[in-house]
Amino acid sequence: MKISVIGTGYVGLVTGACLADFGHNVICMDKNINKIEKLNLGEIPIFEPGLKEIIERNKYYKRISFTTKIENAIKESDIIYIAVGTPSKKDGSANLEHIIDVAYSIGNHMNSYKIIVNKSTVPVETGKKVEELIKKCLQKRNKKINFDVVSNPEFLREGKAVYDFTHPDRIVIGTENNHAKNTLKKVYNVLFLNNTPFIFCNRESSELIKYASNSFLAVKISFINEISLLAEKVGANIQDVSKAMGMDGRISSKFLHAGPGYGGSCFPKDTKAICDIALKKNIKLNIINAAIDANYNQKINSAEKIILEMENSKEKIITLLGLSFKPNTDDIREAPSLTIIRKLLKANFKIKAFCPQGMKAAKKIFANENNIQFYNDEYEAATNSYGIAIITEWHQFRAMNLEKIASVMNDKYFFDFRNIYSNDNNITSIFHYFGTGTVKKKLLKQNIK
Ligand code: UGA
């Protein structure tokens, strides 16, 4: 089957690469010349484990190619995936500008029957809108060409994108057209044969499933984050609380880890967008609105914890570890680290930062800021600091030599926002320890330089 994928962001590139790996011929299209040049040279513009190998393999077998020419991508394929960004507008609604551009291009260049598959996260009824735009273009061109617009949301997570795409919990296909349904079944034949559950529903349900799923997970995280605030005050340990809660099959342990707040390009954007979609239908989504507020507060609370606990520190120098919104990605969009950094800078802190992948993007954001410096590893970043905070749980921070870290620091404040070391019995012989939703533990024997 000949497939084109419009947009080579996280979703588009992973979709294109994995569909090629399923044996299809795939053209990945992006209007960003720089990105396409890189891809043609074998460079991958995003950090995503396993992706480079898949692209290399499929380039070798000539199953994947890259282009900036949307006209060719449309004409040369039977199925067109739309995987362009739908960022938030200032009012929280989803910006559909890129989707609309692609719909016009399809309408203007389409030469034969196509199935248009929308993978971007879009407000309910966008599929209908895309269909209308394409029809309008065809009418203008005086052409009578059949086509179908299907909704097929993607549930992959950044950092685990390849695994998630190839091992999905479910495939959702929103169409009432049998031909489109059967063709997509063939596209995902590898997964179908592996017994992946398929949900066939109408387009509106499919579009809503994506927003409802992301919002539910965001609510779940905000819920446990709020309980973590209470846990700290009453002397409970949030990890025990969430572990026991998660053992109840009705609740499940996934996405029940307290932390400094959720970030990324999806939860913050999609929670705002679903509230906007509902408002336009005169419905206020109270629970999701509350989760948005709770998440903002969680980021602020994390920064305030540092400010408050280090009030008596001789100097306000702190090391921040992990800037990306989660491990295994270079993405820092809406990352808790950004809110925490801004708040700390306002409180006159000097910041020494390290992140395995997130520094390139962070350096751009804080290019004019003298009070933040970036280092090559956690030990270098900790040198001469008075406090250290783990914001993102990269693997390498789970196995740090804490004695070594402490030995290069000037004071011993340790903020473990991801509770990596909360069960380490030795922690209080080295640090004043502050987790998220755990009782704070004072250093037993102070040994300050
Ligand atoms: C999320 C969804 O999990 C994917 O299913 C969806 O496809 C994707 O959005 C999307 O819409 O494109 P992603 O944003 O890549 O994926 O990352 P997650 O792994 O969901 O993490 C989001 C945030 O929640 C991170 O900041 C993470 O640290 C935080 N989180 C997650 C917690 O604070 N606690 C948890 O228990 C889980």
Side-chain angles (χ1 to χ4, degrees):
M1 240 170 292
K2 280 202 152 183
I3 297 174
S4 62
V5 181
I6 314 297
T8 58
Y10 280 96
V11 171
L13 194 55
V14 173
T15 301
C18 293
L19 289 180
D21 222 35
F22 288 174
H24 305 301
N25 280 312
V26 179
I27 306 171
C28 291
M29 182 274 155
D30 202 297
K31 59 183 181 187
N32 184 329
I33 300 172
N34 207 2
K35 258 188 181 178
I36 295 298
E37 273 175 357
K38 272 189 177 171
L39 285 162
N40 276 327
L41 289 170
E43 286 174 44
I44 310 300
I46 51 171
F47 175 77
E48 192 57 51
L51 186 58
K52 193 172 169 37
E53 294 75 2
I54 296 189
I55 291 180
E56 269 168 14
R57 182 167 60 240
N58 286 283
K59 262 177 124 177
Y60 176 82
Y61 288 112
K62 300 202 177 355
R63 282 195 300 252
I64 194 164
S65 61
F66 302 97
T67 183
T68 52
K69 297 193 177 79
I70 195 159
E71 185 175 342
N72 295 1
I74 291 165
K75 285 186 173 157
E76 288 166 26
S77 52
D78 313 308
I79 304 172
I80 304 164
Y81 275 77
I82 306 180
V84 293
T86 52
S88 289
K89 284 200 218 162
K90 276 211 172 100
D91 63 0
S93 65
N95 184 344
L96 293 182
E97 179 188 347
H98 301 305
I99 299 272
I100 291 170
D101 280 355
V102 176
Y104 274 121
S105 298
I106 295 175
N108 289 332
H109 299 300
M110 198 163 111
N111 51 348
S112 58
Y113 172 77
K114 312 276 175 199
I115 297 178
I116 295 124
V117 184
N118 186 37
K119 264 226 172 288
S120 303
T121 302
V122 290
V124 187
E125 296 177 331
T126 301
K128 195 169 149 203
K129 199 170 183 172
V130 167
E131 196 173 284
E132 283 163 6
L133 289 174
I134 296 175
K135 268 189 193 152
K136 224 165 95 183
C137 296
L138 289 173
Q139 264 166 15
K140 247 189 167 174
R141 287 170 60 203
N142 231 343
K143 298 260 178 208
K144 218 176 166 310
I145 308 173
N146 284 339
F147 68 94
D148 285 299
V149 178
V150 179
S151 162
N152 171 220
E154 183 49 59
F155 301 99
L156 61 79
R157 292 161 296 175
E158 287 181 25
K160 292 186 177 142
V162 170
Y163 179 86
D164 284 352
F165 192 93
T166 49
H167 300 78
D169 287 336
R170 76 297 204 190
I171 295 277
V172 176
I173 294 177
T175 178
E176 281 160 295
N177 178 284
N178 272 336
H179 174 71
K181 193 163 130 179
N182 291 331
T183 309
L184 280 183
K185 239 177 172 176
K186 280 186 203 148
V187 169
Y188 294 114
N189 200 29
V190 175
L191 302 176
F192 197 67
L193 296 175
N194 280 346
N195 292 327
T196 302
F198 277 60
I199 304 286
F200 296 104
C201 53
N202 70 15
R203 214 162 43 195
E204 287 68 28
S205 309
S206 170
E207 290 168 338
L208 187 55
I209 286 168
K210 171 68 191 194
Y211 277 114
S213 303
N214 271 5
S215 302
F216 187 82
L217 294 172
V219 167
K220 199 171 175 188
I221 298 168
S222 281
F223 179 88
I224 202 68
N225 282 343
E226 279 207 331
I227 299 294
S228 81
L229 298 177
L230 181 59
E232 272 176 33
K233 297 282 182 212
V234 299
N237 182 325
I238 196 66
Q239 281 184 299
D240 293 334
V241 175
S242 67
K243 192 173 172 187
M245 282 176 68
M247 281 172 176
D248 185 327
R250 294 169 302 175
I251 297 175
S252 124
S253 59
K254 289 180 183 162
F255 281 69
L256 208 55
H257 303 288
Y262 61 76
S265 64
C266 305
F267 290 171
K269 164 176 81 72
D270 296 347
T271 43
K272 281 186 229 148
I274 195 174
C275 289
D276 175 76
I277 297 166
L279 260 191
K280 287 181 176 143
K281 303 280 179 196
N282 291 324
I283 294 169
K284 187 162 184 238
L285 298 179
N286 294 311
I287 295 174
I288 303 176
N289 271 304
I292 296 171
D293 289 346
N295 193 54
Y296 176 73
N297 291 339
Q298 191 71 2
K299 294 178 185 179
I300 295 291
N301 287 338
S302 304
E304 279 176 350
K305 190 181 276 179
I306 297 177
I307 296 168
L308 183 78
E309 297 297 347
M310 286 184 68
E311 204 176 4
N312 298 321
S313 165
K314 219 163 111 195
E315 284 193 56
K316 307 270 183 278
I317 304 178
I318 179 113
T319 296
L320 301 184
L321 300 181
L323 305 175
S324 54
F325 80 98
K326 65 176 198 174
N328 290 327
T329 177
D330 54 359
D331 196 342
I332 63 165
R333 284 177 286 177
E334 305 267 351
S337 66
L338 301 180
T339 312
I340 294 172
I341 289 172
R342 291 195 180 105
K343 185 102 185 129
L344 291 176
L345 289 173
K346 259 199 186 144
N348 296 323
F349 269 75
K350 286 198 167 65
I351 295 170
K352 302 174 70 136
F354 168 68
C355 181
Q357 293 292 337
M359 291 200 291
K360 199 170 155 203
K363 278 179 188 169
K364 273 193 200 151
I365 293 181
F366 297 106
N368 298 323
E369 187 51 70
N370 296 326
N371 285 332
I372 176 164
Q373 302 292 329
F374 298 90
Y375 294 86
N376 291 320
D377 63 38
E378 51 273 44
Y379 302 99
E380 211 180 283
T383 304
N384 295 329
S385 261
Y386 287 72
I388 189 164
I390 298 175
I391 306 181
T392 309
E393 70 281 28
W394 284 83
H395 271 327
Q396 71 187 79
F397 303 147
R398 292 179 188 273
M400 291 193 298
N401 182 337
L402 294 182
E403 271 93 5
K404 188 173 162 192
I405 293 270
S407 73
V408 296
M409 288 173 65
N410 289 342
D411 204 345
K412 312 286 185 257
Y413 293 90
F414 191 109
F415 301 90
D416 180 7
F417 292 125
R418 301 284 179 173
N419 292 332
I420 296 176
Y421 293 99
S422 63
N423 292 325
D424 185 328
N425 292 330
N426 284 332
I427 200 84
T428 46
S429 61
I430 318 173
F431 289 111
H432 299 296
Y433 179 83
F434 312 90
T436 294
T438 61
V439 179
K440 59 181 163 188
K441 299 173 192 162
K442 286 277 172 194
L443 176 61
L444 292 176
K445 204 174 125 234
Q446 189 102 357
N447 182 18
I448 298 170
K449 269 192 200 170

